[in-house]
Every structure is written in C-alpha cells, then in structure tokens.
Amino acid sequence: MRLFLKFVCITALALTSTAWAGLDTGTTALHPKDRDMIIIPPNLPQIHGVKIRPAGVELLPEEFAPGVYGLISTKKPVDNSGVIIGDDSILVIDAHINGDMAGKILANVKSLTGRDTPDYLFNTNYHGDHTFGNGYFPEETHIIAHRITRDLIDSRFEFEKQFLLALVDDPAVYAAAPKRLPDQVFDEFMELDLGGRVVQFHYFGLGCGPGDSIVYLPEEKIAWTGNLILGPSGIPWVIEGHAQEYLQTMARLIETLDIEVVIPGHGGVLTGKDRIRTHMLKFQTYLAELISETDRLKQSGVAYEDIVEAFPLPKKYLPPAELRETSGGYPDALLEGWHAWNVLKTYVEP
C-alpha cells in the first residue's frame, strides 16, 4: 500500500450487506436515511498530501459573461465560488469554509456590485468547505439548496467537522462556524429569476455524495458543478455516492445541459464545449472502468485488503504534463488517494 494512505478503521460506519438495497436509479431524490445509506465502509484511507486549509488564499473574480463571475481560488484545491448579478438580485454560489473566506466572498460582492448583501446564496452540497460559511452571510441573504443537502447540514454538522480534519489538519479553521440551514429547498429542478437573468438549479442524482447540485445559466451556458465535476486534472471522488449511480448521473448531465464553461468546486476552470465534453466523458470512462475492474478482481477472489494494490490508478487518468505545471493540476498522490478510496468503496457496494 502506498505510504500516502493512512488507513483508519471506522467500524461504526461499516457498509452493511443491505445498504443500497432497492436503490432507485431515477432522478427522484431519496433521503439517505430512507435507504440505509452508510457513508464510509471500513478501512478507507484518509487522503493526505494536499490540504484545503485556506490560509493566505484569495478568491479572484473572473468574468465569464457580463455580470457573471467565478471567484477562483489562488490555491488549488481550495474551493472556488461565484457571483451572478441580475437587474434585481444577486446570487452567490457556495459559502466556503469559515468566516474569513465568507468575508472574502462578500468583499467581492461589494466590489462588483456596490452592495453589502447578496439576495441569495446557493449551497452545491452539504460539505463544510462549501457550507460552514453560511452563518457569516447577512440574515437577509436567502439560502437555497437541495433538500438532502439541507437535511445533511443539519444532521451531520458536527460529524463533518471531524471528517474535514484529514483535509485541513487544524480544527481552528472552522471550529467557530455556526450552523445555518438553507431557507428553501428543491428536489430535481428550480429556476430563479434575478431580473433579466434566469438561473437554474439541477439535481441529476448521486455523485460525489448525496445532494450534489449544479448551478446553470441557460443563456450563457455556464455551470458551477460543485464536487460533481472537478477541475481539468481531476477524477471522480465517490465519497458518499455510489459508483454505478454516479455514472448514470453523469449520463443525465451530459444529455441535459449544453455547457461552454465549467467552474468546478475545486480546481481549474474548463472552457470550450469539446474540452468539457471530453472531460465529462473521461469521468464516465473512469467510473465504468472502476466498476468493471473492481468487480472482476472481487469475483476472481482478490480480498478487500489487497484490492488497492491489485488495481492502482491507471496512468491515463493522471494529469498531463502541462497541467502539472499549473495551479489547476492535482498531485499524483492525491488522485491515487481518491482512487484508492473509490476502489475500496466500490468493492463493498452491491
């Protein structure tokens, strides 16, 4: 086993043989508790090597259309955010990890619009690096999220603080974050009119985790993809999702949305239809290979403890040389860690 993997036994969260039974593969969102969804099977790796600790990080506004900004992190893989400006209202995408980073988002809103308070905030998923900043937004800001996202912010708030330690290494980063839940939820689709600009919120199914949602501008063909699609050198990380359903989610996304700009939750921005489609197809190819090869090795008798060594990350999924030299790239060790997690999780999924 590679040295960058630190294995932890989380027996209380072991995936039971009945988990995922009767899984509905349609787009209707089922709450995890309704299908005995357990987050983490035993002995999964904590991922080390690259941190999302935000010290010294700036969020630089990049305009992709008039009034449409990605707030791009100066340090990868620390989270990106976004601001969409309409004639009447302002929408922010994701609240970041703590009060300092939420303050940097609000400072961008002020510099871009002259206003202190955005009208809306959207959470693309429930993870703390996207939602711990909720409580630092003005009370007047109306927060929107998927129904599952809201429920998991509520039920897993303290658990998420522990889970993030492997990626932050300093609980002080977010220890003081107050729990603030979204005010409004949706299930599959919602539209919001900001005044002269319509924003869509889409849920296509399980991805990185439950509730992963996309913010989409149909006129400008710009999408904020949260953790569902990472930057140009990323691979899928099936933290709390299900590999087979992640694959189906990607198919529904590709079929439904016409995208020319992807602003991921982490990593570099993707531009151009062909490049984006190639990247999304890479995600599908990886997931299909993950499912088939893990199943093949499992059926041939390879034990759970040996599966990662038997199925290392294929070199074709490592970032090309040009991305390794940019801030948009991920180190090989991080991607190998994500892959190890995916293999172990997929091994125990029915």
Side-chain angles (χ1 to χ4, degrees), residues 74-93:
T74 55
K75 175 186 173 184
K76 307 298 185 292
V78 175
D79 302 55
N80 303 315
S81 183
V83 177
I84 304 174
I85 304 167
D87 295 337
D88 304 323
S89 305
I90 302 164
L91 169 71
V92 166
I93 297 100

Side-chain angles (χ1 to χ4, degrees), residues 303-319:
Y304 179 86
E305 294 77 12
D306 302 321
I307 189 68
V308 173
E309 185 175 352
F311 181 25
L313 179 65
K315 298 299 183 184
K316 63 186 176 183
Y317 296 113
L318 294 173

Side-chain angles (χ1 to χ4, degrees), residues 52 77-81 92-98 101-102 105 121-135 137 143-145 149 153 160 164 174 180 182 208 212-213 224-230 239 263-267:
I52 58 172
V78 175
D79 302 55
N80 303 315
S81 183
V92 166
I93 297 100
D94 281 336
H96 229 286
I97 197 169
N98 58 21
M101 296 307 296
I105 294 172
L121 167 65
F122 186 83
N123 295 147
T124 60
N125 61 74
Y126 87 92
H127 292 151
D129 52 314
H130 299 260
T131 62
F132 284 164
N134 280 4
F137 274 71
I143 305 179
I144 304 170
T149 295
I153 293 173
E160 181 65 7
L164 276 183
Y174 48 73
R180 181 175 173 188
C208 174
D212 281 344
S213 303
W224 283 259
T225 57
N227 290 347
L228 189 63
I229 301 177
L230 300 173
I239 301 178
I263 303 169
H266 305 265

Side-chain angles (χ1 to χ4, degrees), residues 3 23 44 48 52 59 61 68 71 101 163 179 191 200 204 237-238 252-253 282 303 305 331 346:
L3 292 178
L23 184 65
L44 277 170
H48 292 267
I52 58 172
L59 298 175
V68 179
L71 302 184
M101 296 307 296
F163 184 80
K179 182 195 291 188
E191 279 194 343
Q200 296 179 348
F204 293 109
W237 185 11
V238 192
R252 287 191 283 267
L253 166 62
K282 183 186 84 169
E305 294 77 12
T346 302

